[in-house]
Amino acid sequence: MADFMLEKEEVNKHASALVAPLNIQKSPKRSRSRELSHVRQSSSRGTASVKSHSQISPPLTPRTSREGLPQRQSVQPVFHNYLRAFYHFHPSSTVSSSTDESSITVPINQGDVILVHSVHPNGWADGTLLASGARGWLPTNYCEAYDHATIRNLLNALTHLWDLVRDGENGDLLVFTKQDYVRGMIAGVRFFLERTQCLTRDSPLVLAHVGLRRMRKGLLGDLSSLVKTAKKLQETLQSNESPVPVFEQLDELVLKSFKLVTRAVRFLDIWAQDAISLSFDLSDASNNRPPTPPSDSVDPSVQPSATPNQNGEEVALANEYPSSVSQASAAATQEELDSVTSQPPRNLRLSVAFSIPSESDSLQSPLLPPPSQGQAKRLSVTHRLSYTGKSQGSRKQNLASERLNNAHDAFLGFIGSFIGLHLQSRSSEDLTLTTQQSVIACRQLLVVVEEIWERDSRRSEQLEQARDMMYARLTELVQATKDMFSASDASLGEDVVMPESGRQLVAAATSCVRSAGDCVTRARFVIERIGDFEFENIGLGLSETIFEQIGQGAQQEVEQSEPEQPPQLEPAIETEKPLPAPPTAIRQLPPPLVISESKPLPEIPQPSPLESNRASLQPAPVPAIVESPTAVSFRSSRSSLPPLNQLPTPHLPQPSPSEYSQSPASATQRFFSNSTRTDSVNASVADSNSTFRYSMRGDTGSIISQASTRATTPDHSPAKKQSSQTLVSSFGSASELRSMASEDASAAEEHLLETTFAHELVYNKDGQISGGSLPALVEQLTTHEATPDAVFVTAFYLTFRLFTTPVELAQCLIDRFDYIGDSQSVGLPVRLRIYNVFKGWLESHWIGESDSAALGIILTFATGKLRKSLPGAGKRLAELTIKVTEIRAGALVPRLVSSLGKTGISNTIFTAADTNVPNPIISKSQLNALRGSKEGRASCSILDFDPLEMARQFTIIESKLYCSIQPEELLALEWTKKNGSKAVNVRAMSTLSNDLANLVADTILLLEDAKKRAIIIKQWVKIAVKCLELNNYDSLMAIICSLNSSMVLRLKKTWELVSVKTKARLEELKIIMDVGRNYAVLRQRLQNHVAPCIPFVGIYLTDLTFVDVGNGTTRQLPGESGRDSVSVINFDKHMKTAKIIGQLQSFQVPYRLAAVPEMQDWMEQQIHRVRASDQANVQSYYRRSLFLEPREATQAIKVSPSPVDSSSQSSFSAESRTNSKDKFEFLGFQFSTTNSSKDR
Amino acid sequence: MSQREYHIVVLGSGGVGKSCLTAQFVQNVWIESYDPTIEDSYRKAIEVDGRHVILEILDTAGTEQFTAMRELYMKTGQGFLLVFSITSMSSLYELTELREQIRRIKEDDNVPMVLVGNKSDLEDDRSVPRPRAFKISQDWGNVPYYETSARRRANVDEVFVDLCRQIIHKDQREYNKRVPKPQKGRNKHRQHRGHRIPHCTIL
């Protein structure tokens, strides 16, 4: 670093002589220092590449590492989505350019921002110029990663949009029927303006700085135009027209967003410069800056003076008289400038562009770390992993992720047929072939995984494990096949496969599939981390020994077929060929593989400050550049594409000619028009104009900075939400004051800059919202262009208390009401939705206990803001708040309407109550007997009644409880709370279930005669079968459990007397209620059920527990890894919870069965009897069981001398240890005795 | 040898964090969304002493109150994790009853089993002294005792691997028994139990 400082000083000395501002020198200087160390190498390589192209040359590092190579090597290569050109690069000026090549090598200018699609190891990147939409290859060493906290959201939004459009080209246009993606852009712009403190027209910075003001206006114009395009697209899609105009609109959409971002970048450049030169209080922004390199520690106050006027770098100052600066004067200044300063107009622009990187140096996040030499061979092409992930695959088949998917799919396909073969045909010939195919496929997959693993500098251990595991599985599979063949050969000599070994094979194959899945998951994870890349070759790097065991002939066969497999297997990069011709047919959009490895990067322009100075003054090579981008449009593939210059000009209020010339909007012309020369003049004029005045202000800079500090501080006050309101209103007043723009424009701005939190949302792969901040979620609840997703709304209502408080929610809704304004197109619909959200909450989802805290706020809102805006709604909401209070005071019913989220189907099935109710199967004598037993005159047995009727009555009792389960009981593990659990109904369900189980055990164990016990068992099995017929799985489970409990199951003599038929039935039931494979059978059945039904509640309870435990409460916003990553609510977790609860609720439909009160009374009486008896615990039942059928000597397990077992031989009724405290003491005693008596 | 599938049952009273233990073990760290409702939610392939086995874990978390169902769960298990919280003495006591139940339903004294004291990260709230828990594990027949922290993912895999190892050994013993080498079974097994040094692993 020391020498670096020295160099800086040196630079400082030269500063006044430099054209570019001070900071700029850092970059060329840096490259010079690199040049010193690398120049020989690179130049020699350059010549070598011409002669022999076989050499895989390490990429020229795009930026030199100051820290030195060793440190760099440890750096994980990070893929940057955006680069910014540091130098001009014009391919025609470089050596060895054929005509073909220039068509795909895209020229770049200083300051150009590039969306990168992939980076080849030789340092060339496939990118799209935002300025022109041109796509092609460009040298990364001319560029530098572009990223800044202020603009990051916007860039991310653009990346997202780009991915969406890529998807859209593949026909996936669904997303464009909503406008979420545009909201992302809006949010990005908003965030950007907020961070730059230019959100409102009144903000001091905007007032003070004409350039910024214009840029801001232009930015909003661009945004408005983008939104319009999006709307048009939406309409087109909804009207279902032919896809052609849609594609054109997609093009337009992308170009407009490019334009928007380009302008934002320029905005940021100007802003950053002025922010520093004026020493604005930028604590907000600067806090988020990455650590400033030492070179930037130059006193900012030096800079303005060090920035010479001749440079055209302008620090004009309008700050002193912000409002008095008239258009006319500005225009005048501009003309002066035109004549005086800007001899070649391009210079102005260049210098502006040139100043950009210097500024961004201090602002930027870490530079693109150049791949180290060692990695060079591996890093073929790095690709941006698409957010949406669907699109690129079809084209970039060589992408690692794509290869992985393909290989996995192929593998699954083969192994699927492999397994299928075993289940059906038994031809061993087929089998051999399929086995081999699967093995080959598996091997392919392993190769891909291997490649990915090696690419990962961290060498993910987990991936390695998974890979090894899979390899082992494969070996097993092969071995199993081999075994089988040898076995069949030996035993029968026929092509008959033993079923046993077949099963084994299938098992092996299945486990192979499983481990492959695991492996692929891990590999994907790694890819996500290191960025996608492309394969160079497909060398099968794995040991092939195990595969050889299968049989050579077949092996060869497969080998032959191999080349026919996915075409991407062919080595796509021909290292031997000199500079292969790039695809002229540009239909293959990304031509990433065509560039020869050895193609050298162009030499970086001479880095000495003086020379670069000179370079920037040379206008010569530049003009041509601007034309070529248009030739290669970003979607050059489509021949029908209209020429870019025919695109509608940015949507802006029609300005007068004089205005036009100085409007920053004119700058955009430069990017999109073919008449390069004149337009560039225009642009540079605009720039110089605004900045010139600043330069005049140079001396008084410090004074102004103080003033502005004071002025900007209010913006940092906590009342940030307020600013959004003032924003809206400020437009109106501002336009009146200054007539800068027409009324139309300000109105457009108003709803354009609609506050949005779309950037704080996370979507999952299915496009569902999986996370977001509270404001973002509330926004989704109240979108203006579409009715909110019903599932989302239900989940939100159900779970919001888990991630926010009612007060917070109410406040957030009211904030939304405030910031959305009352515009006809956006404000009013949203406000109505906000009212609806409140209404739904109060009507159907109100929980007085927790929500009453928010009642005051809601009432104030209803009678205040809401009534003012929507009188009717305000009145109704106010009424509701009162209603809710009354009900809360009066009844225990926690809600007005108990129709929460029941999913449609089940409700419709429920028809009028009286129709079609089956008659109870019960005779008069039975009823009399029941009545008698109630009075204690007679006693009944379960054998006295029809099993179906008993099952019905149980079901009615159970259903009553089940239907009264409230969703709140199921949230946040409420039912597991030991004390004061509100989950009364869930608790009652489990109690009833236990009671029923105990009743079963009790009725069986009550009888001393084994024959009688067997009859009782039979009766219970019958009841269980009827329960199944009634879809009462909960009772069924209880009965099965009891019949399978140790105390019943061990009664061998009894079971011997149970008929085979009964046992078989019981087995069937057991299979249905099998707990294995995560209740797979039961879940399957429940999926196809219609209500009424009583599912086994335990499944839901376990699911809810694991959703709660297995998913975090927050998740990170994507794309912002590292230091300032933001965590938002993990809504996915709540969606899952709501889904499970929704399932449970969908069955909450009462049965159409006639109750027999007498029987129910009797049942409850029995249950109470069992519950009250001392025996109602497992231990006493077990003792009873032992008493009935003592252990046989042979079956006896080694009985530990614990008091439990020894006492079990004595009277079962003697001991009662139901009191838990007793039990504990008793157990404690056991410990002490066993400790001494036993010595194992 | 083909891949074996073993069934492990996780038991313990509510609130001891056993579901957390299971979730930590079963789910891969990077899974950003865990869905417990699919068939494979509780399956995991691991390698124990060079063997590849698949563990199917039955965790009844959330259904502790359905006491009648316990034995049904227990029946399916070949090995048991008995989990208590070191912050709750009663959660340890409740395990004693569960263990008796396992022995009854399995009619076996030497069911593979591990005693797990969870929440070791809450050392300050500890109410079960380590020696006490260890003593109980000894009394149960040298059942290994671990202290885990599901929250910090400490000792989680170790617990399952230990249990799995026990199941494998038992599997082999029974296999040996069936293959005519009758007299060895018991002795060998006892020997094995003795060999495994009773350990108390604390992280």
Side-chain angles (χ1 to χ4, degrees):
Chain A
M1 276 308 129
D3 58 339
F4 191 74
M5 297 295 281
L6 267 175
E7 282 178 289
K8 192 191 76 201
E9 280 175 33
E10 184 186 275
V11 170
N12 277 345
K13 271 183 270 168
H14 292 261
S16 57
L18 298 180
V19 173
L22 176 65
N23 272 352
I24 300 158
Q25 305 314 324
K26 183 163 50 75
S27 351
K29 172 187 45 94
R30 213 185 299 149
S31 35
R32 180 186 54 180
S33 63
R34 186 202 62 123
E35 203 80 358
L36 290 176
S37 55
H38 287 292
V39 67
R40 196 165 42 87
Q41 190 192 354
S42 57
S43 61
S44 66
R45 199 167 43 79
T47 49
S49 63
V50 178
K51 287 168 192 163
S52 83
H53 296 273
S54 59
Q55 183 189 358
I56 298 178
S57 49
L60 274 182
T61 44
R63 313 282 315 146
T64 312
S65 64
R66 274 169 285 168
E67 293 81 9
L69 214 64
Q71 273 168 298
R72 278 294 164 130
Q73 256 161 347
S74 63
V75 175
Q76 183 80 4
V78 179
F79 186 83
H80 291 269
N81 281 338
Y82 294 92
L83 291 177
R84 182 143 205 202
F86 226 93
Y87 306 99
H88 295 295
F89 169 67
H90 191 239
S92 64
S93 63
T94 60
V95 270
S96 78
S97 72
S98 68
T99 43
D100 284 338
E101 194 191 14
S102 60
S103 68
I104 62 139
T105 313
V106 79
I108 51 177
N109 291 326
Q110 273 168 350
D112 278 350
V113 177
I114 299 130
L115 170 63
V116 187
H117 310 298
S118 64
V119 180
H120 199 269
N122 62 14
W124 287 85
D126 170 21
T128 302
L129 254 66
L130 297 195
S132 62
R135 179 164 180 173
W137 291 101
L138 44 96
T140 51
N141 55 344
Y142 276 54
C143 309
E144 162 165 282
Y146 186 71
D147 186 23
H148 182 251
T150 312
I151 204 171
R152 192 173 302 144
N153 278 340
L154 187 57
L155 293 179
N156 284 344
L158 179 65
T159 318
H160 184 59
L161 185 128
W162 171 268
D163 290 335
L164 288 177
V165 169
R166 290 268 83 88
D167 283 349
E169 285 174 27
N170 295 348
D172 188 2
L173 292 164
L174 194 69
V175 68
F176 294 102
T177 55
K178 282 212 219 160
Q179 289 196 17
D180 287 342
Y181 65 100
V182 179
R183 264 208 301 281
M185 294 294 283
I186 296 171
V189 171
R190 213 192 126 74
F191 180 81
F192 174 73
L193 288 177
E194 216 163 45
R195 289 295 279 270
T196 51
Q197 295 168 22
C198 297
L199 185 59
T200 71
R201 187 174 279 189
D202 292 340
S203 80
L205 195 60
V206 175
L207 289 179
H209 195 306
V210 177
L212 284 186
R213 192 154 66 226
R214 295 207 175 116
M215 284 309 270
R216 182 177 167 279
K217 206 174 130 200
L219 195 66
L220 294 178
D222 288 347
L223 186 61
S224 145
S225 150
L226 175 69
V227 169
K228 285 210 171 134
T229 312
K231 260 197 195 122
K232 220 160 63 192
L233 178 62
Q234 188 184 12
E235 280 159 19
T236 316
L237 284 172
Q238 275 160 357
S239 64
N240 260 338
E241 276 171 36
S242 66
V244 183
V246 172
F247 284 128
E248 279 171 17
Q249 283 173 6
L250 282 179
D251 286 348
E252 201 179 320
L253 196 71
V254 170
L255 284 175
K256 290 212 162 130
S257 15
F258 279 178
K259 197 167 122 191
L260 175 72
V261 172
T262 312
R263 196 189 293 271
V265 168
R266 290 181 47 75
F267 186 106
L268 185 61
D269 294 339
I270 295 175
W271 173 81
Q273 212 130 53
D274 295 338
I276 287 173
S277 65
L278 297 171
S279 305
F280 266 107
D281 174 23
L282 295 167
S283 60
D284 190 35
S286 54
N287 281 348
N288 291 292
R289 285 182 201 174
T292 315
S295 61
D296 288 326
S297 56
V298 189
D299 186 355
S301 61
V302 178
Q303 257 181 302
S305 50
T307 310
N309 273 354
Q310 36 158 230
N311 159 16
E313 192 52 55
E314 15 5 79
V315 190
L317 215 296
N319 220 8
E320 268 179 351
Y321 17 76
S323 52
S324 64
V325 175
S326 69
Q327 296 287 110
S329 72
T333 340
Q334 170 221 322
E335 274 160 38
E336 278 173 49
L337 241 165
D338 250 331
S339 53
V340 176
T341 345
S342 53
Q343 192 57 298
R346 185 152 301 281
N347 272 356
L348 286 174
R349 187 181 144 222
L350 282 183
S351 57
V352 171
F354 200 19
S355 70
I356 287 152
S358 71
E359 220 21 86
S360 53
D361 257 355
S362 60
L363 299 170
Q364 257 160 0
S365 61
L367 304 170
L368 177 73
S372 70
Q373 305 278 335
Q375 285 167 324
K377 278 177 211 156
R378 289 251 150 247
L379 292 173
S380 49
V381 175
T382 314
H383 272 279
R384 188 162 53 81
L385 201 62
S386 162
Y387 282 123
T388 49
K390 282 172 270 181
S391 65
Q392 314 233 338
S394 54
R395 288 169 210 180
K396 304 191 179 179
Q397 295 220 318
N398 237 26
L399 280 188
S401 57
E402 205 43 45
R403 285 285 302 274
L404 188 68
N405 287 344
N406 285 345
H408 193 211
D409 287 350
F411 168 68
L412 287 181
F414 282 123
I415 205 102
S417 63
F418 176 80
I419 294 171
L421 215 68
H422 283 283
L423 297 176
Q424 292 161 8
S425 92
R426 286 274 150 79
S427 151
S428 77
E429 207 182 327
D430 282 3
L431 213 136
T432 322
L433 193 71
T434 334
T435 313
Q436 277 153 0
Q437 280 170 334
S438 341
V439 168
I440 295 294
C442 190
R443 221 171 53 177
Q444 297 280 5
L445 183 58
L446 277 172
V447 169
V448 178
V449 169
E450 175 88 3
E451 189 74 21
I452 291 164
W453 178 76
E454 283 191 359
R455 270 298 285 259
D456 181 16
S457 61
R458 277 192 235 161
R459 295 285 152 98
S460 160
E461 205 173 300
Q462 280 154 329
L463 179 57
E464 189 181 13
Q465 279 168 6
R467 188 200 59 190
D468 292 346
M469 177 74 117
M470 187 177 149
Y471 190 77
R473 289 286 159 289
L474 183 61
T475 319
E476 264 169 35
L477 180 64
V478 171
Q479 190 57 42
T481 322
K482 212 179 131 200
D483 286 352
M484 195 182 67
F485 281 119
S486 58
S488 63
D489 282 348
S491 57
L492 299 163
E494 281 174 58
D495 290 342
V496 178
V497 176
M498 307 301 288
E500 178 55 38
S501 55
R503 219 171 296 133
Q504 227 173 23
L505 254 190
V506 172
T510 319
S511 59
C512 207
V513 170
R514 204 169 288 132
S515 57
D518 197 20
C519 202
V520 168
T521 320
R522 281 158 211 249
R524 285 213 186 99
F525 177 69
V526 169
I527 291 178
E528 239 161 83
R529 186 155 47 75
I530 65 171
D532 219 343
F533 59 92
E534 282 189 52
F535 278 92
E536 290 166 82
N537 55 59
I538 51 118
L540 300 177
L542 283 170
S543 145
E544 301 195 354
T545 47
I546 61 153
F547 306 106
E548 287 163 14
Q549 301 170 354
I550 294 184
Q552 294 292 342
Q555 176 79 10
Q556 278 163 6
E557 244 177 62
V558 185
E559 218 87 80
Q560 277 167 4
S561 67
E562 224 171 291
E564 294 169 10
Q565 294 225 332
Q568 74 266 21
L569 293 190
E570 287 171 56
I573 296 177
E574 301 171 51
T575 45
E576 301 295 326
K577 283 186 190 166
L579 300 177
T584 34
I586 318 167
R587 184 47 178 156
Q588 318 161 317
L589 249 187
L593 291 173
V594 198
I595 283 208
S596 153
E597 292 249 323
S598 49
K599 174 171 175 176
L601 281 176
E603 297 289 327
I604 285 190
Q606 190 33 260
S608 115
L610 284 171
E611 287 190 45
S612 70
N613 177 9
R614 227 178 293 135
S616 69
L617 288 169
Q618 271 172 8
V622 186
I625 296 170
V626 193
E627 264 171 17
S628 51
T630 38
V632 189
S633 88
F634 90 96
R635 192 203 295 278
S636 31
S637 50
R638 195 163 291 107
S639 52
S640 66
L641 182 75
L644 281 172
N645 55 347
Q646 283 173 16
L647 276 174
T649 37
H651 165 79
L652 279 171
Q654 283 306 315
S656 71
S658 67
E659 269 176 340
Y660 189 72
S661 65
Q662 44 181 294
S663 156
S666 63
T668 61
Q669 291 277 319
R670 187 183 65 213
F671 301 125
F672 289 94
S673 136
N674 266 347
S675 54
T676 35
R677 223 170 262 273
T678 47
D679 274 308
S680 58
V681 172
N682 242 345
S684 56
V685 162
D687 283 351
S688 58
N689 158 32
S690 58
T691 41
F692 177 67
R693 261 176 279 124
Y694 267 74
S695 64
M696 303 200 301
R697 255 310 268 110
D699 298 348
T700 46
S702 57
I703 300 164
I704 285 145
S705 71
Q706 282 173 0
S708 58
T709 310
R710 238 178 292 127
T712 40
T713 22
D715 269 2
H716 295 288
S717 69
K720 258 199 172 156
K721 296 248 159 72
Q722 299 289 327
S723 71
S724 57
Q725 284 168 262
T726 51
L727 158 79
V728 172
S729 59
S730 72
F731 287 135
S733 59
S735 61
E736 280 169 46
L737 270 175
R738 255 170 250 132
S739 69
M740 281 272 291
S742 67
E743 289 290 323
D744 286 352
S746 75
E749 274 188 16
E750 182 179 325
H751 87 258
L752 243 184
L753 262 194
E754 114 195 31
T755 313
T756 175
F757 294 86
H759 58 282
E760 289 176 353
L761 276 180
V762 193
Y763 293 89
N764 66 11
K765 279 170 197 127
D766 307 326
Q768 281 177 321
I769 292 156
S770 61
S773 62
L774 184 60
L777 294 176
V778 163
E779 198 175 297
Q780 279 301 306
L781 220 50
T782 56
T783 49
H784 70 271
E785 75 266 357
T787 42
D789 179 27
V791 180
F792 176 82
V793 174
T794 314
F796 190 91
Y797 273 134
L798 190 57
T799 60
F800 75 85
R801 294 170 196 89
L802 300 178
F803 54 80
T804 183
T805 63
V807 175
E808 255 176 27
L809 174 64
Q811 197 53 57
C812 198
L813 280 164
I814 294 168
D815 286 344
R816 170 109 172 114
F817 187 89
D818 289 341
Y819 73 63
I820 201 64
D822 57 358
S823 66
Q824 203 62 37
S825 56
V826 179
L828 284 182
V830 169
R831 287 186 164 187
L832 263 176
R833 283 202 205 286
I834 292 166
Y835 158 68
N836 276 324
V837 171
F838 274 121
K839 187 163 156 272
W841 181 11
L842 287 163
E843 278 182 346
S844 320
H845 304 275
W846 191 259
I847 300 176
E849 207 178 316
S850 57
D851 297 355
S852 55
L855 206 59
I857 300 174
I858 298 172
L859 188 62
T860 316
F861 169 70
T863 53
K865 288 170 183 164
L866 183 59
R867 179 167 285 173
K868 229 179 272 170
S869 169
L870 305 159
K875 195 171 155 240
R876 264 169 284 158
L877 193 59
E879 283 168 9
L880 269 177
T881 54
I882 291 157
K883 235 182 187 174
V884 159
T885 1
E886 281 166 0
I887 294 238
R888 184 172 51 117
L892 277 171
V893 185
R895 59 190 69 231
L896 296 174
V897 185
S898 62
S899 65
L900 190 140
K902 277 182 189 163
T903 37
I905 322 154
S906 57
N907 282 338
T908 55
I909 294 160
F910 184 61
T911 47
D914 290 336
T915 60
N916 229 356
V917 174
N919 287 324
I921 312 163
I922 193 154
S923 66
K924 275 206 178 128
S925 60
Q926 282 171 328
L927 280 176
N928 282 333
L930 283 169
R931 283 183 203 120
S933 81
K934 200 178 180 185
E935 291 153 24
R937 279 186 279 116
S939 67
C940 300
S941 152
I942 61 155
L943 297 174
D944 298 342
F945 307 103
D946 184 85
L948 175 58
E949 195 50 42
M950 283 206 287
R952 281 178 185 165
Q953 298 309 316
F954 269 126
T955 304
I956 292 170
I957 296 171
E958 194 116 12
S959 174
K960 237 181 249 165
L961 277 179
Y962 181 75
C963 290
S964 50
I965 291 177
Q966 298 297 313
E968 299 83 61
E969 300 186 28
L970 303 166
L971 294 173
L973 309 183
E974 180 67 37
W975 73 95
T976 61
K977 284 186 185 148
K978 293 221 161 84
N979 301 313
S981 169
K982 289 172 216 150
V984 277
N985 294 306
V986 175
R987 288 294 188 101
M989 285 286 286
S990 63
T991 310
L992 181 65
S993 190
N994 290 338
D995 286 341
L996 179 55
N998 284 338
L999 181 64
V1000 174
D1002 187 84
T1003 50
I1004 295 167
L1005 294 170
L1006 200 64
L1007 301 161
E1008 303 208 4
D1009 184 356
K1011 255 186 217 162
K1012 285 182 184 167
R1013 289 201 295 267
I1015 293 168
I1016 298 276
I1017 287 175
K1018 186 183 174 187
Q1019 178 77 351
W1020 278 117
V1021 172
K1022 278 184 184 167
I1023 295 174
V1025 169
K1026 296 299 171 192
C1027 282
L1028 178 65
E1029 284 170 14
L1030 289 164
N1031 298 334
N1032 178 358
Y1033 293 97
D1034 211 67
S1035 300
L1036 175 60
M1037 185 59 123
I1039 296 169
I1040 298 287
C1041 282
S1042 200
L1043 292 177
N1044 276 296
S1045 63
S1046 54
M1047 55 247 188
V1048 176
L1049 207 62
R1050 62 174 294 284
L1051 301 171
K1052 297 239 157 60
K1053 282 178 196 154
T1054 311
W1055 283 103
E1056 279 166 19
L1057 298 168
V1058 176
S1059 71
V1060 180
K1061 200 176 146 196
T1062 305
K1063 280 182 193 163
R1065 264 191 193 167
L1066 185 59
E1067 275 313 306
E1068 285 167 27
L1069 296 176
K1070 270 192 206 168
I1071 288 167
I1072 291 169
M1073 303 310 284
D1074 182 22
V1075 296
R1077 292 183 295 136
N1078 198 9
Y1079 297 101
V1081 184
L1082 190 51
R1083 282 180 198 273
Q1084 182 64 36
R1085 285 181 77 97
L1086 285 175
Q1087 247 178 17
N1088 305 323
H1089 260 312
V1090 285
C1093 165
I1094 306 173
F1096 171 52
V1097 182
I1099 297 185
Y1100 298 129
L1101 298 182
T1102 306
D1103 285 353
L1104 286 167
T1105 307
F1106 275 96
V1107 165
D1108 194 68
V1109 166
N1111 293 288
T1113 50
T1114 57
R1115 60 167 61 218
Q1116 304 294 307
L1117 282 181
E1120 294 190 31
S1121 56
R1123 54 217 147 79
D1124 40 50
S1125 68
V1126 182
S1127 55
V1128 294
I1129 297 158
N1130 183 7
F1131 199 70
D1132 181 58
K1133 174 179 183 166
H1134 303 300
M1135 286 287 264
K1136 282 199 168 79
T1137 306
K1139 192 181 160 201
I1140 295 167
I1141 294 175
Q1143 276 168 12
L1144 187 145
Q1145 286 181 316
S1146 70
F1147 295 122
Q1148 284 187 323
V1149 176
Y1151 279 82
R1152 275 173 293 146
L1153 294 171
V1156 180
E1158 292 86 353
M1159 191 182 269
Q1160 287 189 10
D1161 283 351
W1162 174 73
M1163 281 170 171
E1164 267 161 29
Q1165 194 188 329
Q1166 292 297 308
I1167 284 171
H1168 278 116
R1169 177 183 63 79
V1170 171
R1171 202 186 286 172
S1173 81
D1174 293 337
Q1175 302 168 35
N1177 69 66
V1178 182
Q1179 282 186 22
S1180 52
Y1181 280 130
Y1182 195 73
R1183 265 172 246 137
R1184 170 77 184 165
S1185 172
L1186 282 172
F1187 170 78
L1188 292 170
E1189 293 187 23
R1191 282 197 182 105
E1192 294 163 35
T1194 48
Q1195 94 175 64
I1197 58 167
K1198 195 175 75 61
V1199 179
S1200 71
S1202 74
V1204 182
D1205 284 339
S1206 58
S1207 66
S1208 64
Q1209 303 295 336
S1210 65
S1211 162
F1212 62 89
S1213 58
E1215 303 199 35
S1216 62
R1217 306 215 178 267
T1218 44
N1219 183 308
S1220 63
K1221 205 184 170 198
D1222 279 354
K1223 206 190 311 176
F1224 288 150
E1225 280 165 7
F1226 153 72
L1227 290 169
F1229 169 71
Q1230 183 203 344
F1231 295 144
S1232 50
T1233 51
T1234 49
N1235 292 349
S1236 50
S1237 63
K1238 285 193 293 181
D1239 46 339
R1240 297 192 184 193
Chain B
M1 191 170 167
S2 73
Q3 191 161 22
R4 291 293 172 102
E5 194 173 310
Y6 293 121
H7 295 257
I8 285 179
V9 178
V10 185
L11 293 168
S13 49
V16 299
K18 60 180 189 300
S19 51
C20 198
L21 199 70
T22 307
Q24 281 280 17
F25 176 68
V26 170
Q27 78 172 299
N28 302 320
V29 232
W30 58 81
I31 287 182
E32 65 165 15
S33 166
Y34 178 61
D35 185 0
T37 65
I38 50 176
E39 199 178 316
D40 279 354
S41 302
Y42 302 101
R43 292 169 70 89
K44 176 155 179 160
I46 62 164
E47 194 184 300
V48 178
D49 304 334
R51 283 162 202 270
H52 296 291
V53 294
I54 288 182
L55 293 189
E56 171 152 351
I57 294 145
L58 180 63
D59 186 335
T60 62
T63 60
E64 290 84 2
Q65 287 145 19
F66 291 75
T67 48
M69 252 135 247
R70 271 189 209 154
E71 296 202 349
L72 196 70
Y73 301 140
M74 289 175 183
K75 270 192 75 174
T76 66
Q78 292 162 282
F80 296 85
L81 280 189
L82 297 181
V83 188
F84 69 97
S85 160
I86 64 159
T87 64
S88 155
M89 201 56 152
S90 64
S91 71
L92 176 59
Y93 287 150
E94 279 169 51
L95 290 183
T96 311
E97 193 187 325
L98 287 174
R99 176 172 177 265
E100 283 309 315
Q101 223 174 339
I102 293 167
R103 291 174 54 191
R104 281 202 303 261
I105 196 93
K106 287 281 161 192
E107 303 193 320
D108 183 353
D109 260 0
N110 295 300
V111 184
M113 207 179 276
V114 172
L115 181 64
V116 179
N118 194 26
K119 301 193 183 175
S120 65
D121 47 313
L122 301 176
E123 188 60 46
D124 292 346
D125 299 329
R126 179 189 280 277
S127 63
V128 180
R130 201 170 288 148
R132 180 74 184 270
F134 186 58
K135 186 94 179 72
I136 288 173
S137 75
Q138 296 285 88
D139 295 342
W140 285 0
N142 283 345
V143 166
Y145 173 62
Y146 285 83
E147 291 201 349
T148 61
S149 169
R151 192 181 300 161
R152 295 191 184 152
R153 215 176 201 283
N155 256 355
V156 172
D157 289 345
E158 288 81 352
V159 167
F160 284 91
V161 167
D162 188 307
L163 185 57
C164 190
R165 198 168 283 142
Q166 288 185 49
I167 300 173
I168 292 173
H169 286 309
K170 194 177 168 72
D171 224 25
Q172 279 181 333
R173 282 197 304 275
E174 269 154 26
Y175 179 78
N176 292 341
K177 250 189 250 174
R178 264 180 272 131
V179 177
K181 271 182 208 161
Q183 83 289 3
K184 269 215 157 180
R186 196 101 197 156
N187 282 345
K188 194 178 169 191
H189 136 224
R190 287 201 72 91
Q191 223 175 26
H192 162 72
R193 283 236 157 170
H195 265 302
R196 197 178 55 225
I197 300 148
H199 52 302
C200 170
T201 319
I202 289 116
L203 283 193

